[in-house]
Amino acid sequence: QAAPTRLRWTASKDSAAGVTAAYRAGCRVLGFTGTHGDPELHGTNLLGLGAKMVFSRMADLPGLVSSFVKYS
């Protein structure tokens, strides 16, 4: 397997401002919806701001990061 030619960061953010900032900084963003009163609506908003995927259980983060990095 070839080594990556450039370092890419993955960020997990739960706010619109956080997702926007991470996206603008060039990160691949996972949007966290578990702290929001309406996770489905919040997830839609985070995806619209640049999150590549959303999740609602922090316990899922390690597996998501692993698969996200592997297949991105």
Side-chain angles (χ1 to χ4, degrees), residues 23-47:
Y23 177 77
R24 288 181 180 170
C27 295
R28 294 173 295 188
V29 185
L30 299 172
F32 180 63
T33 63
T35 58
H36 197 273
D38 187 345
E40 193 170 319
L41 176 62
H42 191 54
T44 300
N45 291 338
L46 297 181
L47 290 168

Side-chain angles (χ1 to χ4, degrees), residues 36-62:
H36 197 273
D38 187 345
E40 193 170 319
L41 176 62
H42 191 54
T44 300
N45 291 338
L46 297 181
L47 290 168
L49 293 169
K52 294 294 183 189
M53 71 172 47
V54 295
F55 67 105
S56 62
R57 291 176 7 115
M58 193 54 75
D60 296 335
L61 181 60

